[in-house]
Amino acid sequence: METAEFVRILDREGRLLAAAAEAAGTDAEVPTCPTWRVRDLLRHTGAVHRWAAGFVADAHTGPRPLGDLPDLDGDALVTWYRDSHRRLVDTLAAAPPDVACWTFLPLPSPSPPAFWARRQAHETTVHRYDAEAARGGPTSPVDPEFGVDGIDELLCGFHARARSRVRTDEPRLLRVRAETADAAGGAVWSVRLSDRPPVTVRAASGRADAELAGPADRLYLALWNRGTVPSVTGDAALAALWREKSAI
């Protein structure tokens, strides 16, 4: 997917998040994040937006802390979130592709702004789902191609890092299969689990001990622990391991 498409998705998803949060009210519980209320969701996501925008806008080449969360609530907090989101979208849309700044996942990317557009599009989509869950009623759809991309980022990026807790005492192989309606039929990953960080390849490589599968949009949310995996075959303990240990 192109950087401009990620920015477009980020723009849409942040608007949907704000609208759902406003409708729910900042005191509403977030069922997908049991310790949070909507105010926590807005403070966290808005702070992440400002943090990410700062790396690109300031060409900052090293890590830095997230920063303080705002002491705001109600309508003022929703307005602050909208401003944070707009600042990020505008920063990424205007950024020259040759800006050098810090990124944090072991994934190839055409440029740092492209990395942040992709990362924040997925960050915002998952938290938009949280806000809509707090509001109640139907949730907005996830484009299947975007869902496949997010699964790839999660498996090949987040869980390639040393901090991943998805580990097994003995080597196991977990297959992940995302189904789409296009001619290619979807995407598949093979995740080798051991007492070290998972190693993922983008292929049906080796005999799997278990497979997690389903439509790409639903599987994307499930792998981010926003719902149940549509289909589990083989050793159900590996699906349970993912549910218990994969939180980022």
Side-chain angles (χ1 to χ4, degrees):
M1 297 179 67
E2 298 293 329
T3 301
E5 179 67 3
F6 285 122
V7 174
R8 186 190 68 78
I9 292 170
L10 167 63
D11 187 12
R12 181 193 68 210
E13 294 292 319
R15 291 172 186 269
L16 289 171
L17 190 161
E22 188 172 43
T26 56
D27 196 47
E29 295 181 350
V30 182
T32 47
C33 301
T35 63
W36 276 7
R37 294 184 182 270
V38 167
R39 66 174 60 87
D40 303 303
L41 176 65
L42 289 173
R43 289 168 181 166
H44 166 79
T45 313
V48 170
H49 287 342
R50 289 171 182 252
W51 176 75
F55 287 110
V56 178
D58 301 338
H60 197 86
T61 56
R64 56 185 178 184
L66 186 62
D68 295 333
L69 302 184
D71 186 20
L72 297 170
D73 205 350
D75 291 344
L77 179 57
V78 175
T79 298
W80 175 87
Y81 172 76
R82 285 190 166 113
D83 180 67
S84 304
H85 171 250
R86 177 48 45 197
R87 181 182 302 188
L88 174 62
V89 170
D90 290 348
T91 296
L92 291 171
D98 60 352
V99 168
C101 66
W102 182 74
T103 61
F104 65 89
L105 291 181
L107 290 168
S109 180
S111 70
F115 166 87
W116 283 111
R118 180 191 194 193
R119 174 80 292 277
Q120 285 299 291
H122 288 297
E123 174 91 8
T124 309
T125 298
V126 171
H127 287 317
R128 180 271 299 163
Y129 182 86
D130 293 332
E132 291 181 342
R135 180 203 61 200
T139 58
S140 303
V142 174
D143 177 79
E145 180 185 1
F146 182 69
V148 167
D149 182 83
I151 295 169
D152 191 81
E153 185 203 43
L154 182 63
L155 297 178
C156 299
F158 279 100
H159 287 290
R161 300 186 300 172
R163 67 180 65 184
S164 176
R165 298 181 300 121
V166 183
R167 305 190 183 205
T168 55
D169 293 333
E170 300 295 331
R172 309 297 300 279
L173 182 63
L174 177 65
R175 186 95 70 229
V176 177
R177 189 180 304 274
E179 303 158 0
T180 62
D182 62 18
V188 61
W189 300 262
S190 298
V191 186
R192 295 193 177 276
L193 304 175
S194 68
D195 60 357
R196 300 180 62 80
V199 176
T200 299
V201 296
R202 299 179 181 97
S205 174
R207 182 175 179 178
D209 296 292
E211 180 171 292
L212 311 182
D217 54 343
R218 292 176 56 198
L219 188 62
Y220 167 74
L221 292 170
L223 293 177
W224 278 103
N225 292 313
R226 266 67 178 184
T228 58
V229 174
S231 173
V232 177
T233 55
D235 187 354
L238 289 184
L241 174 72
W242 181 272
R243 187 168 57 251
E244 295 164 8
K245 300 294 186 181
S246 67
I248 302 301

